[in-house]
Amino acid sequence: LAKTTQPISMDSYEGQEVNITCSHNNIATNDYITWYQQFPSQGPRFIIQGYKTKVTNEVASLFIPADRKSSTLSLPRVSLSDTAVYYCLVVSKHGSGNTGKLIFGQGTTLQVKP
Amino acid sequence: EAGVTQSPTHLIKTRGQQATLRCSPISGHTSVYWYQQALGLGLQFLLWYDEGEERNRGNFPPRFSGRQFPNYSSELNVNALELEDSALYLCASSPDPGSSGNTIYFGEGSWLTVV
């Protein structure tokens, strides 16, 4: 199982770009990287998923270097409503080592200030 | 398309009682995962069901159990409730685990309070 490491917390201001990096040194060949956002007392919300290079959707971008040992979630022009906990999760493809035992790290608490 | 739905939203039980939580996965999803999240803490993996079978479980005592029905919905049962079981219980679902990416989607959770 690929263990993930993220900063415990980050502060930012409205309108800034925020980059949150996750380390996953023992990621396996068939593992994907997924990021979630969680507000207090709510279930985690899927943000973005990628395998390599760069993935972009309407809310975020995900940068994965060639060695795939880390990934960076980029949130453009954050607002107060982006204050939340962000988790990265390494997910294995079943039949190639997926045990379904998905282990979340401690997450990064992002505080956006006005 | 409906997301993962969980019931009840809130549940209050007395220590020693049993609690049953329910989860309906996204249509077409065959895998269901259960997590426990105590207040202010991270997500702890509980159980994984796929195609009606328990495939893996986390480091929880046997009084945490569950099942998955033929329609892929799932129940989580917690017996002999203890005060420390008070937490948000989250259910998640994903498509066939053999599918590429295996994206997991979460429900909004069920709050269990043990008094």
Side-chain angles (χ1 to χ4, degrees):
Chain A
L1 295 172
K3 179 183 176 183
T4 60
T5 304
Q6 304 172 232
I8 297 288
S9 64
M10 293 182 69
D11 289 340
S12 183
Y13 291 92
E14 281 190 294
Q16 288 189 331
E17 178 185 73
V18 171
N19 296 308
I20 306 174
T21 297
C22 178
S23 296
H24 27 78
N25 291 319
N26 58 339
I27 190 168
T29 302
N30 290 315
D31 288 347
Y32 285 74
I33 299 132
T34 311
W35 284 82
Y36 293 87
Q37 175 193 57
Q38 187 180 30
F39 298 112
S41 301
Q42 294 185 22
R45 182 177 74 96
F46 171 84
I47 301 174
I48 198 166
Q49 183 179 65
Y51 182 78
K52 62 181 179 180
T53 62
K54 177 182 175 182
V55 179
T56 298
N57 63 22
E58 63 275 9
V59 298
S61 295
L62 178 59
F63 299 92
I64 305 168
D67 66 5
R68 304 199 329 119
K69 293 184 182 300
S70 67
S71 58
T72 299
L73 173 72
S74 181
L75 304 172
R77 297 182 298 281
V78 294
S79 64
L80 296 176
S81 62
D82 292 317
T83 294
V85 179
Y86 292 82
Y87 294 95
C88 78
L89 179 68
V90 174
V91 181
S92 296
K93 183 177 178 180
H94 185 69
S96 301
N98 183 17
T99 65
K101 193 171 184 176
L102 309 173
I103 306 299
F104 282 79
Q106 79 276 25
T108 298
T109 299
L110 172 65
Q111 179 69 50
V112 179
K113 303 175 183 179
Chain B
E1 180 181 312
V4 177
T5 58
Q6 294 187 242
S7 64
T9 306
H10 293 86
L11 186 62
I12 300 175
K13 290 286 188 178
T14 303
R15 189 170 51 183
Q17 286 187 316
Q18 179 197 46
T20 298
L21 308 176
R22 296 176 178 84
C23 172
S24 292
I26 292 172
S27 177
H29 286 191
T30 63
S31 272
V32 170
Y33 308 81
W34 287 96
Y35 284 83
Q36 181 197 65
Q37 188 174 35
L39 192 62
L41 299 181
L43 294 94
Q44 302 297 316
F45 171 76
L46 264 168
L47 291 159
W48 173 38
Y49 290 94
D50 183 61
E51 296 288 355
E53 299 286 332
E54 180 183 303
R55 302 295 185 182
N56 209 337
R57 66 181 292 130
N59 296 324
F60 283 84
R63 58 191 186 82
F64 286 84
S65 65
R67 53 180 173 169
Q68 186 178 32
F69 300 99
N71 66 353
Y72 303 115
S73 66
S74 177
E75 272 183 3
L76 174 68
N77 296 296
V78 188
N79 295 318
L81 285 166
E82 300 178 2
L83 297 179
E84 312 82 81
D85 297 333
S86 295
L88 178 66
Y89 288 84
L90 292 160
C91 174
S93 74
S94 70
D96 175 2
S99 62
S100 176
N102 199 17
T103 303
I104 295 135
Y105 297 91
F106 284 83
E108 289 303 318
S110 293
W111 274 107
L112 172 63
T113 302
V114 183
V115 297

